[in-house]
Amino acid sequence: ADGEVPPAGPRPISDADRNWIRSLVIHEDEDVIALNKPPGIAVQGGKRVARHIDGLLDALAGPDGERPKLVHRLDRDTSGVLLIARRARSAAALGEAFRGRDAKKTYWALVVGVPKPERGTIDAAIAKKAGAGGYEKVIEDNEMGKSAITDYEVVDAAGRRVAWLVLWPRTGRTHQLRVHCARLGTPILGDGKYGGAAAHLDGVPGGEHLHLHARAIELPHPAGGTLRVTAPLPDGMAETWRFFGFDPNRDTSRT
């Protein structure tokens, strides 16, 4: 009828965006695509989010034209390995691996201070809480919250000022690693949301940005065997690593 607005279809993807998302691919096979997601871009759309990874996935479609599918998420400000399923059957297998905790995830973080002990497990349930202005925040809540467990280890430290942590979450709660690092008394560098003023250090290049990176993931491949993908640090974060004398290419695989 006159005056009806046709339903909005997928937004056309510009050549620049098409080239950009292709440049993020660090692994590709018939079932799985792995991206090294930069910090600062959302994985999915929402209020005040116009450009996001999910909106650009048509650019990664294979010859059969099937649209790739997200199987997990990273926070907007977290960088690193993001797995995409090439087709529906792959999405089901990958989704099962994440739900069944068969996905072994390794994160790197720079934290302000050095945790004691330098190796351990954080077991603190967390829950979402509505904050001011409609923003959600995650808080520790051992009564009403969901179980959240993280293993951690100090890889290196710059005096008592900063530590490089490798984090192995056993559960996958929203903002789990950020809340757990703050609980240790060593908030992630740049994480004002959970660390407040203590999360900031003067004179550190890029220190105002969250220094949390999804370094590697290992899980059963949908076609059999094991898939392991490792993502290099983004340039800005690698610069901070070098500023403190840390090697951004160091192998921190769990033995």
Side-chain angles (χ1 to χ4, degrees), residues 130-144:
Y135 285 98
E136 265 188 347
K137 190 168 182 177
V138 174
I139 59 167
E140 187 178 334
D141 186 337
N142 284 310
E143 287 187 9
M144 304 294 289

Side-chain angles (χ1 to χ4, degrees), residues 37-77:
K37 186 189 92 66
I41 183 160
V43 170
Q44 288 180 296
K47 288 181 182 176
R48 300 180 290 274
V49 179
R51 184 173 178 262
H52 49 85
I53 298 290
D54 193 34
L56 301 177
L57 290 184
D58 281 317
L60 300 176
D64 61 2
E66 187 173 348
R67 189 178 195 274
K69 295 172 176 61
L70 293 171
V71 291
H72 69 127
R73 299 193 313 174
L74 294 175
D75 290 348
R76 176 200 290 267
D77 295 322

Side-chain angles (χ1 to χ4, degrees), residues 124-160:
I126 56 180
K128 290 181 182 178
K129 180 184 179 183
Y135 285 98
E136 265 188 347
K137 190 168 182 177
V138 174
I139 59 167
E140 187 178 334
D141 186 337
N142 284 310
E143 287 187 9
M144 304 294 289
K146 293 180 178 178
S147 169
I149 303 172
T150 304
D151 297 327
Y152 74 92
E153 185 174 333
V154 174
V155 178
D156 207 344
R160 307 304 300 172

Side-chain angles (χ1 to χ4, degrees), residues 94-168:
L94 292 168
E96 188 61 36
F98 280 102
R99 282 190 300 277
R101 299 186 185 173
D102 288 330
K104 297 172 184 172
K105 294 176 274 190
T106 300
Y107 285 77
W108 283 0
L110 285 191
V111 298
V112 180
V114 180
K116 289 183 178 180
E118 293 194 357
R119 175 188 297 128
T121 298
I122 309 150
D123 186 347
I126 56 180
K128 290 181 182 178
K129 180 184 179 183
Y135 285 98
E136 265 188 347
K137 190 168 182 177
V138 174
I139 59 167
E140 187 178 334
D141 186 337
N142 284 310
E143 287 187 9
M144 304 294 289
K146 293 180 178 178
S147 169
I149 303 172
T150 304
D151 297 327
Y152 74 92
E153 185 174 333
V154 174
V155 178
D156 207 344
R160 307 304 300 172
R161 192 179 182 206
V162 163
W164 168 8
L165 297 192
V166 59
L167 302 155
W168 296 284

Side-chain angles (χ1 to χ4, degrees), residues 163-186:
W164 168 8
L165 297 192
V166 59
L167 302 155
W168 296 284
R170 295 193 210 169
T171 52
R173 310 297 179 204
T174 301
H175 294 183
Q176 172 177 324
L177 301 179
R178 297 168 66 177
V179 173
H180 280 178
C181 286
R183 185 182 194 270
L184 285 173
T186 54

